[in-house]
Amino acid sequence: MSGQAAPLGQSHPPHGHPENTTGTTQASDKASTSSHPPPSKPDPTTLSPGQHNAAQGGLAAAAASGPAELANLKVTLKKGLRQFPDFPSPGILFEDIMPIFASHSLHSGLIRALELQVADVFDTTPGEHSDVDVVVGLESRGFLFGPTLALRLGAGFVPVRKPGKLPGQCETESYKKEYGEDKFQMQADAIKQGQRVVIVDDIIATGGSAAAAGSLVKKLGGDLLGYVFIMELDFLKGRDKLDAPVHTLLSGQEEGLKQ
Ligand SMILES: O=P(O)(O)OC[C@H]1O[C@H](OP(=O)(O)OP(=O)(O)O)[C@H](O)[C@@H]1O
Ligand SMILES: Nc1ncnc2[nH]cnc12
């Protein structure tokens, strides 16, 4: 995707900020981005000691916490997101996940939350080899955390890429997304018959990208266990396009931008 990030002063405040309901740019935003909260607001990039230890992974932490730990992490991660109105085109309220990756503690909290979510919904034990054989990540934001999650699960990682990037024989699917059309490809031998696959991406909007990836996985003979997203834009009902279970850490945007 093209385009550049707006300067800090033009960014929309993070989720959880009191000004986040207006959809307008506020002068105070500069002091209230997730990396520079005002003194009165807790820094969402700083996890509590318990969260931080658990975010490093490991069975002891998981046994001590589980659902409560996941719930806490979700609250913290949501505050790390920023919104940009009319990006990349008018009418789109863009959810920016990059502050999560810019912060060591939020990044590690994200991986921990995904690990707990997968363990919960696919009935495995965090920190142990999971029932997932392959994590499939969608270009490009699914590449930011898919490989790390695959390592945590004891699974392989396979990319779904935009056309012309992968060598050898490929399968191709066209799709429509919230702001345009595109094609996805996977290498034809990337998944072995019957391998258990979880598809991951940052956001499900219309569901077009995820549906295309699901079709590719099935064409290759994979057993699609389900999808895991960081965030779901509920009002677009993208999950209705998917024919495998859908799990999301966060949801938002009950409505899009009002034009
Ligand atoms: O549910 P949908 O309407 O299909 O939209 C969701 C997709 O859109 C974004 O990717 P984008 O194609 O913008 O590519 P990028 O990750 O390379 O920025 C996002 O990362 C998802 O992959
Ligand atoms: N509103 C949105 N914000 C961020 N990524 C997206 N991909 C599709 N729609 C999006």
Side-chain angles (χ1 to χ4, degrees), residues 29-30 38 56 72 92 99-100 109 115 121 128 138 144 148 153 158 174 185 193 209 218:
D29 287 358
K30 187 164 187 174
Q56 309 307 317
N72 282 341
I92 303 294
I100 292 178
E115 180 189 30
V121 296
E128 282 184 355
L138 311 195
L144 293 172
T148 316
L153 299 178
V158 168
S174 301
Q185 289 190 324
Q193 193 69 31
S209 313
K218 286 186 210 157

Side-chain angles (χ1 to χ4, degrees), residues 13-200:
H15 280 284
H17 191 285
E19 290 164 3
N20 202 17
T21 52
T22 63
T24 57
T25 302
Q26 303 287 335
S28 60
D29 287 358
K30 187 164 187 174
S32 63
T33 63
S34 57
S35 28
H36 301 287
S40 58
K41 185 171 180 278
D43 184 347
T45 68
T46 307
L47 300 181
S48 68
Q51 282 180 317
H52 196 82
N53 289 341
Q56 309 307 317
L59 278 175
S65 39
E69 182 191 355
L70 181 56
N72 282 341
L73 284 168
K74 287 180 182 182
V75 171
T76 307
L77 289 168
K78 185 141 190 172
K79 290 181 195 156
L81 294 174
R82 294 184 302 183
Q83 295 178 305
F84 288 81
D86 297 316
F87 181 88
S89 47
I92 303 294
L93 183 55
F94 190 86
E95 298 284 348
D96 183 21
I97 61 165
M98 295 310 166
I100 292 178
F101 295 93
S103 152
H104 176 267
S105 62
L106 281 183
H107 184 184
S108 91
L110 170 68
I111 300 300
R112 175 66 179 160
L114 290 166
E115 180 189 30
L116 287 170
Q117 181 86 347
V118 167
D120 182 31
V121 296
F122 300 118
D123 204 19
T124 55
T125 309
E128 282 184 355
H129 200 286
S130 73
D131 290 340
V132 179
D133 297 314
V134 179
V135 172
V136 166
L138 311 195
E139 181 169 349
S140 58
R141 286 173 258 160
F143 295 179
L144 293 172
F145 57 92
T148 316
L149 179 63
L151 284 176
R152 284 284 181 94
L153 299 178
F157 176 80
V158 168
V160 168
R161 296 216 61 182
K162 310 252 164 107
K165 303 286 185 185
L166 291 167
Q169 196 192 335
C170 290
E171 292 287 352
T172 305
E173 281 283 335
S174 301
Y175 63 93
K176 287 192 180 135
K177 59 183 175 181
E178 194 187 8
Y179 41 76
E181 294 183 25
D182 221 323
K183 286 186 180 152
F184 267 157
Q185 289 190 324
M186 289 180 81
Q187 287 174 310
D189 60 357
I191 290 176
K192 312 270 175 296
Q193 193 69 31
Q195 277 191 313
R196 289 160 302 188
V197 175
V198 172
I199 295 176
V200 301

